[in-house]
Amino acid sequence: MNENIMVLSDGRQLGYSLYGDLKGIPLFLFHGTPGSRVWFTEDDSIAKELGIFLIATDRPGYGLSDKKHHFKLLDYAQDMEELAKHLELENFSVLGVSGGGAFAAAVTYALPNQVEVCMLVGTATPFENGKPPTTMSKENRIGFYMTKYCPWLLKQLEKSKKKLIDQKPELYIKNLRKGGSYLSDWDNNMLQRDEVLENGVLHSKEAYRQGVDGVIDESKLLTKDWGFKVEKLTTPVIVWHGEKDTFSSFIEVRNLANKIPQVETHYLEEAGHFLTESDEVWKSILTSFKESVFKS
C-alpha cells in the first residue's frame, strides 16, 4: 500500500499517498467523509498521462493521520502548508470530493498565495443554522441529524460498518451492490462495477483504521459554520457536479458556485455523486484542472 508519513510541527502524524507523475503539476486530493488517502489500488494512469502529480492526504482521525482535538476546517490549511514545504512545493492546487470540498475551499481561502486552482467535485455545501438542506436525500439527512441528537447511535452504526468491512468484505461489497432507491441511476450503476467496489473497500478500510471517531467528528464539523465566506475566495475555482446527486444537492451547489468570484462550472445532467469513479469524467476533471493552471 502507498504509505507515507510526515510529522507536523505540533507532533501529529500526517499520512499521504503519491500518484501520477511525481514531477508533474501538484494537486492535493481531499477525500470525502469518511475517506482516506487510498484513491487507487496501484497508480493513476490518467494523471500520469496528463503530467499531474497527485498527493492524497488522510485528514485527522483517518488512516495514518493522528486526531486533532477541537479541529476546525481552516486548521487544515496549516497541515497542507507544512506538507507542501515537506514535499518542496512552493505552489499547489487542491481538489476536494464530497465532504473534502469544504476542506479544499478552506485551504484555498487561507492560503491564497500558494493555492493556484481549487477543484470542488460533488462538493458538500455549508449548512444553514446547522441543518442539512431538505434537497439532500432523507438517508443522508438522518446521518447528519444523528451527529447532533444521538451520536451514540451513529457510533454504533459506524462500528457495525467497520466490523463488516474488516471481517466480511465480501458481504459488504454484496450490500453495496444492492444500491438503493435514494441513489441516482448513475450511482447505482457505478456500484455494479467490480473495480469501483474493490477500491471502495480498500479506501473505506483505511478510513476506519483508527476506529470510527474520525467520521463522527468530521460529520459534526461539516454541520457547523465553515469559518469563512466563499465570496472572499480570490483563487480560480472549478466546480464539477452531477445534477442527479442525492448526497449533495445540485441546487445548493449551484447557489454556492454563484457566490464564488472566479468560478468555472461543469454540471453533468445525468450524473450523480460518484464522479471520480468514472474514468471518462475523471479525465475531463483533470484536463480542466490542467487547462486552468496554464491559464493562470
Side-chain angles (χ1 to χ4, degrees):
M1 188 180 292
N2 193 331
E3 295 188 352
N4 298 278
I5 295 173
M6 71 162 290
V7 179
L8 298 165
S9 58
D10 62 3
R12 286 182 296 120
Q13 287 192 163
L14 185 149
Y16 63 97
S17 293
L18 307 176
Y19 304 102
D21 182 354
L22 302 188
K23 294 183 179 180
I25 308 166
L27 176 62
F28 284 14
L29 300 181
F30 300 159
H31 59 73
T33 307
S36 72
R37 70 188 185 288
V38 181
W39 281 54
F40 310 99
T41 51
E42 294 181 4
D43 203 344
D44 183 29
S45 59
I46 294 173
K48 189 170 288 188
E49 174 192 335
L50 292 172
I52 297 172
F53 177 24
L54 301 178
I55 304 107
T57 61
D58 286 328
R59 287 195 294 278
Y62 292 119
L64 299 171
S65 292
D66 291 333
K67 179 177 180 177
K68 178 171 180 168
H69 296 287
H70 310 297
F71 182 59
K72 298 181 179 66
L73 283 177
L74 289 168
D75 292 342
Y76 205 50
Q78 182 175 342
D79 290 0
M80 294 304 96
E81 187 175 26
E82 291 188 33
L83 177 57
K85 185 176 180 180
H86 176 72
L87 296 173
E88 299 181 346
L89 301 173
E90 289 186 14
N91 298 97
F92 56 89
S93 297
V94 296
L95 185 155
V97 169
S98 194
F103 291 90
V107 172
T108 301
Y109 172 82
L111 303 174
N113 295 324
Q114 282 187 273
V115 177
E116 296 185 312
V117 177
C118 174
M119 307 282 292
L120 304 179
V121 180
T123 185
T125 58
F127 288 1
E128 189 172 343
N129 299 318
K131 297 179 180 178
T134 56
T135 49
M136 180 186 286
S137 72
K138 180 180 70 175
E139 290 77 4
N140 222 30
R141 292 202 312 272
I142 289 171
F144 282 112
Y145 280 125
M146 283 195 288
T147 67
K148 186 173 183 178
Y149 298 109
C150 47
W152 57 269
L153 178 56
L154 181 60
K155 192 166 189 174
Q156 289 305 313
L157 292 173
E158 291 295 334
K159 282 184 175 180
S160 297
K161 182 178 176 181
K162 171 178 166 51
K163 185 177 180 180
L164 192 62
I165 293 171
D166 289 341
Q167 298 182 10
K168 298 180 180 180
E170 299 84 3
L171 180 56
Y172 179 67
I173 286 176
K174 184 179 179 180
N175 290 342
L176 283 178
R177 204 183 291 275
K178 293 176 182 177
S181 59
Y182 66 95
L183 295 176
S184 66
D185 289 342
W186 172 283
D187 291 333
N188 275 319
N189 288 335
M190 284 294 170
L191 292 175
Q192 302 310 307
R193 293 173 51 193
D194 291 340
E195 66 273 21
V196 169
L197 293 170
E198 290 166 7
N199 193 59
V201 168
L202 292 173
H203 185 78
S204 298
K205 186 179 179 68
E206 192 61 18
Y208 291 106
R209 175 189 276 227
Q210 300 179 46
V212 303
D213 288 345
V215 64
I216 304 294
D217 293 341
E218 189 165 282
S219 296
K220 286 181 185 177
L221 180 59
L222 290 174
T223 67
K224 298 178 181 178
D225 186 271
W226 283 12
F228 64 95
K229 301 296 183 184
V230 297
E231 292 91 331
K232 300 296 183 181
L233 293 175
T234 58
T235 300
V237 176
I238 302 176
V239 175
W240 281 81
H241 209 86
E243 295 187 17
K244 306 295 187 184
D245 192 334
T246 58
F247 289 90
S248 187
S249 161
F250 167 62
I251 294 171
E252 297 297 323
V253 169
R254 185 176 58 190
N255 291 340
L256 180 76
N258 288 340
K259 297 176 183 177
I260 300 172
Q262 297 184 65
V263 67
E264 173 186 319
T265 58
H266 298 265
Y267 299 137
L268 306 184
E269 187 176 358
E270 297 302 320
H273 192 63
F274 305 144
L275 299 184
T276 60
E277 286 78 4
S278 163
D279 287 345
E280 181 182 355
V281 175
W282 179 236
K283 186 170 186 177
S284 296
I285 289 170
L286 291 185
T287 299
S288 71
F289 158 66
K290 185 174 181 179
E291 290 172 350
S292 183
V293 169
F294 286 137
K295 283 180 191 174
S296 57

